[in-house]
Amino acid sequence: MDNGLERLVFAFFNAEIAAAWAPKILEGMWVTILVSLAVVATGLALGLALAALRAYRIGPVDVAIVAFVDILRALPPLVVIIILFFAFPYLDLPMSAFTATWLSLSLVLAAFAEEIWWAGILAVPRGQWEAARSTGLGFGATLGYVVLPQAVRMTVPPLVNRVIAVTKGTALGSVVALSEIVSQASSAASLAGNPTPLTLGAAAYLAIFVPVVVLGRWLETRFAWKR
Amino acid sequence: MAEILDTFFNIEILLRVLPFILEGLGMTLLLCAITVPIGLAGGLAVAWVWSLKKRYVNWALVVYVDFFRAFPPLVLLIFVYFGLPFVGVDLSPFAAVAIAFLLNASSYYGEIFRAGIESVPHGQWEAARASGLSRFQTMRYVVLPQATRNVLPDLIGNTLEVVKLTTIASVVALGELLHAARLAQSLVYNPTPIVAAALIYLALLWPAVRLLRHFEHRHLVAR
């Protein structure tokens, strides 16, 4: 038993190996944070733009947006990444691992965000539209200053959950050799012949995402749907 | 246009790799048939224990749920598959995937069932208990059926996510749909197999997305 515990500590919590490979993991952490922030920024912006566009109710545009959202909700994110990374070069559109991961996850987040925000826009009472329009605001101004602020506020909890889920997907970038936490940790583990770097990688993820999950729980109660 | 079709949807290549792709699809379906039930069962267990309202146990459950919600499933899978052999636990890819999905999916399903149980009015409990049902019977026959109905859209939504997540099994070389498609793509040097796999996922999951949209719409109308 004592032997077993020693073996466990030697394998997963090896201080010497941890010290040697920590810089690599930190490098990966930086890449993960960078991709995550980029994905959140572009994904949410694109999602908001699409939801606002849908409020104009232009037939063909609506159909296109719904098709886009349906496809990206149905496809596994890893499949989207692999198509962008492995299939687009055949069109002479080669992408770096960073671009492919960022673009794929942004599109996926945009699809979910559009859906959530559109639900929020629909949930704003009609009277709000009518009152704003009758005070002389144009359609765009009503949408931008009256409806969207309320819609965005209402949809914070589901949106937070989705943002967390999609940013966790940055780990999928390791499949196309993006040098984020997972690929740094697993290559370090095989080079060192010891899984301690994997423990470091896991710790790095917890360091990034536990605060985000806790913040999410707080935001959820702060902006909970009032019925 | 013809050139694009020739590259991305080459019928000749498709026919050649189809048996291989279908074998992958079979593995994906098998994976779903195993990961979804164990996730659901784990989640039910989490919600059930939570409903007993033992304070310290519930703190532990919150830690468990938050831990696995913060942990990317791919990291969990790599940890289980590549890490455990170092301490002498050798797992088949299939077993590793099953363990990783049990931990990950049970925390998500657990949260959903917990919300569902909370949504059932307390009077239901009291009435059922007063009529002589035991705690177990109350949960099983009175509370859970209502709770499940209340959170059905979330359950379907999470199941959709679990099915999509089975693609990460390709990382531990389990020959599911995506893995088969990537292997075929590298053999024929043409992206048609990947496109075919994407279309299969779309055909498989699009009905679920539609169904969810229907629920969401109904929810909005009901408000």
Side-chain angles (χ1 to χ4, degrees):
Chain A
M1 187 63 219
D2 221 26
N3 199 8
L5 189 67
E6 248 168 55
R7 231 168 88 192
L8 191 78
V9 170
F10 178 82
F12 287 102
F13 304 97
N14 194 317
E16 209 174 301
I17 288 174
W21 294 96
K24 280 276 169 215
I25 306 292
L26 279 177
E27 245 172 67
M29 220 172 148
W30 175 237
V31 175
T32 294
I33 292 174
L34 216 60
V35 186
S36 302
L37 291 178
V39 165
V40 172
T42 40
L44 291 184
L46 182 61
L48 189 60
L50 289 177
L53 196 58
R54 209 166 151 193
Y56 285 88
R57 298 182 192 268
I58 310 163
V61 177
D62 276 8
V63 172
I65 293 177
V66 171
F68 166 80
V69 170
D70 269 14
I71 290 173
L72 282 154
R73 275 179 80 172
L75 279 183
L78 186 55
V79 172
V80 183
I81 293 178
I82 282 177
I83 287 184
L84 287 192
F85 189 75
F86 289 106
F88 269 64
Y90 292 93
L91 284 180
D92 284 328
L93 275 173
M95 278 182 205
S96 68
F98 190 96
T99 312
T101 310
W102 162 73
L103 195 58
S104 312
L105 296 179
S106 293
L107 292 177
V108 171
L109 180 58
F112 279 100
E114 190 279 335
E115 192 67 18
I116 293 170
W117 270 327
W118 176 239
I121 290 175
L122 286 182
V124 173
R126 263 216 86 67
Q128 296 283 327
W129 281 98
E130 287 156 4
R133 289 309 299 270
S134 65
T135 63
L137 290 182
F139 186 87
T142 303
L143 183 64
Y145 295 117
V146 179
V147 175
L148 276 183
Q150 301 183 59
V152 168
R153 219 190 113 88
M154 268 192 284
T155 50
V156 166
L159 209 57
V160 167
N161 278 333
R162 190 47 64 179
V163 164
I164 293 175
V166 174
T167 48
K168 270 163 44 186
T170 53
L172 301 175
S174 63
V175 174
V176 291
L178 177 68
S179 55
E180 44 65 75
I181 297 173
V182 177
S183 61
Q184 294 279 17
S186 46
S187 71
S190 57
L191 283 173
N194 180 295
T196 300
L198 293 180
T199 313
L200 281 183
Y205 270 106
L206 290 179
I208 296 176
F209 283 107
V210 166
V212 178
V213 170
V214 171
L215 183 74
R217 263 186 198 276
W218 179 77
L219 278 174
E220 255 170 63
T221 39
R222 174 94 175 57
F223 291 96
W225 289 71
K226 291 187 188 75
R227 302 202 188 205
Chain B
M1 189 63 204
E3 201 183 320
I4 289 184
L5 268 185
D6 222 36
T7 309
F8 284 95
F9 208 81
N10 193 316
I11 303 284
E12 201 183 310
I13 289 179
L14 184 65
L15 288 177
R16 225 169 66 206
V17 299
L18 200 59
F20 197 56
I21 302 264
L22 287 180
E23 209 175 293
L25 175 62
M27 182 50 106
T28 288
L29 293 178
L30 180 65
L31 264 181
C32 296
I34 287 177
T35 52
V36 171
I38 61 174
L40 278 171
L44 260 182
V46 167
W48 199 306
V49 173
W50 174 85
S51 77
L52 299 176
K53 300 197 192 302
K54 300 271 183 279
R55 195 196 300 171
Y56 297 104
V57 176
N58 281 5
W59 283 352
L61 279 182
V62 168
V63 170
Y64 171 84
V65 167
D66 275 2
F67 183 86
F68 286 110
R69 287 207 306 176
F71 220 64
L74 179 61
V75 182
L76 189 60
L77 179 60
I78 288 178
F79 206 84
V80 170
Y81 185 67
F82 294 106
L84 289 186
F86 284 97
V87 283
V89 183
D90 259 315
L91 290 171
S92 69
F94 204 92
V97 170
I99 292 175
F101 272 73
L102 170 65
L103 295 173
N104 177 266
S106 68
S107 58
Y108 280 92
Y109 280 125
E111 274 291 286
I112 294 171
F113 278 122
R114 186 180 70 95
I117 292 173
E118 264 184 345
S119 75
V120 176
H122 206 71
Q124 296 283 328
W125 273 99
E126 286 156 3
R129 296 283 283 143
S131 73
L133 293 184
S134 69
R135 290 188 64 102
F136 179 85
Q137 286 168 326
T138 303
M139 187 57 130
R140 165 78 183 74
Y141 296 108
V142 179
V143 176
L144 265 186
Q146 301 183 62
T148 307
R149 214 182 45 205
N150 289 348
V151 292
L152 195 58
D154 292 321
L155 285 177
I156 296 175
N158 197 51
T159 304
L160 178 65
E161 295 303 314
V162 172
V163 172
K164 280 156 62 176
L165 210 55
T166 57
T167 50
I168 66 172
S170 61
V171 174
V172 294
L174 191 66
E176 46 71 80
L177 182 51
L178 184 61
H179 189 258
R182 283 192 59 194
L183 211 60
Q185 175 245 343
S186 63
L187 287 177
V188 297
Y189 200 66
N190 178 289
T192 301
I194 302 182
V195 174
L199 289 177
I200 293 176
Y201 278 115
L202 215 53
L204 217 58
L205 297 174
W206 189 64
V209 171
R210 280 275 118 189
L211 188 66
L212 269 178
R213 217 184 249 285
H214 168 76
F215 275 124
E216 282 158 6
H217 185 74
R218 233 181 36 185
H219 170 76
L220 281 174
V221 171
R223 277 166 52 83

